[in-house]
Amino acid sequence: MAKVFKIVPTTQKYDWGKIGLSSKVAQYASASKIPGFTLDENAPYAELWMGTHVSGPSRLLDSNETLKDYLASHPELIGDKVIERFRDAGAAEGNLPFLFKVLAIEKALSIQTHPDKKMAEALHKEKPDVYKDANHKPEMALALTPFTAMCGFLPLPQIAAYLSSTPQFAALIPSAIVGRFVAIASSSDPTGPTEKAALRDLFSAVMTAEPSTFQPQLEALVKRYDSGQEKEVERAVKDLVLRLHSQFPGDIGVFCAFILNYVEMNPGDAIFLAAGEPHAYVSGDIIECMATSDNVIRAGLTPKLRDIPNLVSGLTYAAADATKHLVKPSAFDSVAHTTLYDPPIPEFSVLRVVLPAGTTETHPPVDGPSIAIVTGGRGVFAWGQGEKVAVSEGDVLFVGAGSEVKLTSEDGQLAVYRAFVEA
């Protein structure tokens, strides 16, 4: 039984994905010659799934058996400690506690959040056709290309500044709520109970505004911005407002530009979104890792089901600068060309490898399973007693628990992302 082997990911076509080979998803699927994959240059390739989730299960390249079934038959590849720690997530049945993805974003994703474990269990019980599993979904996004996103609530003074400068935004909210919010906006405790309640009232008022109220205001706002009449404080959001409106004309989610942080990231930058944090990815290609779940609560910028009551009730309302969400990479076991992204949850961490041509780097054994994707270059993965496999862009590999792996770059720089879990 091999401890390292290639697996076949699943591609997902969603409306917001990048078209044809402009998408990293399509590029990787084409380069690695995924069995059964035929490129459609006019189709939106949005996601590449690597893992055991039932909605997009990976398979072994050699046998076409699902990764989940194979791991259930060979639990030593997951490891006793991980099986015990994540037994409730189905680890004993071959389920990995994380789901690894590539996303290629042309059109903004919905204004959304993910439930915590308790809320996920309740939603799954109440609406199993919508919320199809009972797990939470904290997630981390690492930029492959320049990437933009909205994430978390803006600092309260910044929201108050928009209320003062943007009458079309303030018009959506009852004056009593505006007054209470402005009164606490400069609080020294922005995450205190009074401050959170005021932010919740404001956000709820915006997201539940009637179309007859917000659509004329949005039309007036866009007309003002198109004519170059934005105020100084609005310049930071003007382009975002116009972009979102062009993609989702007349959608209340456009006003979230005045409520949520907007971040612009370069390759190698990362953000982490815990349960209850509102966000929307706007553009770019990313590596994404999350707890194994597909639970999404949506409220705007989407043609899909909107569940505003559950979104409003499930948010943390912890207003802060966007730096709160940044994940700073650190050294990985003193290995020279690998950095570690380690968010504050047990389900996953991610390694980023950028290996110069002709060099070899050894990853020490990890006490749990991992999945790696080659995002650039060619090279070799070696393990055990001389076992090895050639890899190139788009290849996806499973690495069993306790396996030391040697990576060698050939013909230029080798780039690899590797998600793993340790108990």
Side-chain angles (χ1 to χ4, degrees):
M1 178 191 67
K3 297 287 294 268
V4 180
F5 48 86
K6 290 185 180 180
I7 60 175
V8 180
T10 300
T11 57
Q12 307 280 17
K13 297 177 182 177
Y14 303 139
D15 177 63
W16 50 261
K18 290 189 176 183
I19 305 299
L21 283 177
S22 67
S23 164
K24 287 290 185 186
V25 172
Q27 290 174 27
Y28 298 152
S30 297
S32 62
K33 298 180 174 59
I34 288 180
F37 178 81
T38 302
L39 177 68
D40 180 349
E41 278 287 10
N42 298 311
Y45 291 95
E47 297 187 352
L48 191 77
W49 287 32
M50 300 166 282
T52 56
H53 195 282
V54 65
S55 295
S58 296
R59 296 178 178 273
L60 275 65
L61 178 62
D62 291 340
S63 66
N64 203 40
E65 183 178 6
T66 67
L67 179 60
K68 176 182 181 295
D69 288 346
Y70 189 76
L71 295 179
S73 300
H74 301 280
E76 64 272 21
L77 293 173
I78 296 179
D80 292 341
K81 291 182 180 179
V82 171
I83 288 175
E84 185 59 33
R85 172 66 178 80
F86 296 101
R87 190 172 293 277
D88 289 349
E93 290 77 46
N95 279 311
L96 297 175
F98 64 85
L99 177 59
F100 205 27
K101 293 184 181 181
V102 177
L103 271 62
I105 305 152
E106 179 64 33
K107 186 177 180 181
L109 277 68
S110 56
I111 303 294
Q112 61 185 263
T113 189
H114 306 300
D116 61 19
K117 193 71 167 66
K118 182 178 179 180
M119 187 177 190
E121 291 171 350
L123 290 174
H124 178 60
K125 184 177 181 179
E126 178 186 346
K127 300 178 180 179
D129 56 326
V130 177
Y131 302 104
K132 298 182 180 180
D133 59 71
N135 202 15
H136 65 164
K137 191 186 174 186
E139 65 187 31
M140 181 170 63
L142 294 83
L144 279 170
T145 63
F147 167 63
T148 61
M150 293 188 284
C151 62
F153 287 105
L154 280 164
L156 303 181
Q158 184 63 60
I159 299 175
Y162 286 137
L163 286 171
S164 299
S165 64
T166 311
Q168 294 83 11
F169 172 42
L172 309 184
I173 308 161
S175 57
I177 292 177
V178 171
R180 286 197 299 271
F181 184 86
V182 171
I184 59 89
S186 58
S187 169
S188 60
D189 183 15
T191 58
T194 300
E195 290 77 5
K196 285 187 174 184
L199 179 56
R200 174 178 172 146
D201 289 346
L202 181 141
F203 183 71
S204 178
V206 171
M207 300 312 293
T208 58
E210 293 294 332
S212 59
T213 297
F214 74 76
Q215 287 181 347
Q217 296 296 339
L218 181 55
E219 183 178 344
L221 178 66
V222 169
K223 184 177 180 180
R224 182 162 66 84
Y225 283 3
D226 276 338
S227 63
Q229 298 181 43
E230 72 276 5
K231 299 172 185 176
E232 179 69 27
V233 71
E234 297 175 298
R235 288 178 183 170
V237 295
K238 173 183 174 179
D239 289 345
L240 177 60
V241 166
L242 294 178
R243 178 187 179 94
L244 296 178
H245 177 70
S246 71
Q247 296 174 350
F248 299 93
D251 193 296
I252 187 60
V254 177
F255 282 101
C256 285
F258 300 103
I259 305 174
L260 305 183
N261 288 295
Y262 180 63
V263 294
E264 298 176 293
M265 297 164 54
N266 294 312
D269 293 340
I271 53 174
F272 173 70
L273 286 312
E277 297 286 0
H279 60 280
Y281 299 156
V282 177
S283 67
D285 301 273
I286 62 172
I287 292 286
E288 187 182 43
C289 199
M290 65 203 69
T292 299
S293 175
D294 200 25
N295 282 326
V296 182
I297 308 174
R298 301 178 177 89
L301 304 181
T302 180
K304 296 182 179 180
L305 174 70
R306 303 181 187 215
D307 190 351
I308 293 173
N310 277 315
L311 184 132
V312 169
S313 68
L315 296 178
T316 64
Y317 297 100
D321 186 86
T323 54
K324 168 193 173 185
H325 301 282
L326 296 180
V327 180
K328 294 183 179 180
S330 59
F332 175 64
D333 200 61
S334 301
V335 180
H337 303 291
T338 299
T339 49
L340 169 67
Y341 297 81
D342 192 20
I345 42 112
E347 283 86 354
F348 63 85
S349 301
V350 175
L351 301 175
R352 179 180 185 239
V353 185
V354 181
L355 197 58
T359 58
T360 296
E361 186 151 275
T362 300
H363 285 182
V366 173
D367 197 15
S370 59
I371 290 178
I373 180 170
V374 179
T375 58
R378 296 174 61 249
V380 173
F381 273 48
W383 69 98
Q385 301 301 313
E387 297 174 275
K388 61 183 180 180
V389 61
V391 298
S392 59
E393 181 179 312
D395 281 341
V396 181
L397 298 94
F398 177 87
V399 180
S403 301
E404 179 182 270
V405 182
K406 293 183 179 180
L407 291 73
T408 300
S409 179
E410 299 176 346
D411 299 333
Q413 178 176 279
L414 179 69
V416 177
Y417 287 83
R418 180 182 175 188
F420 68 94
V421 58
E422 288 186 300

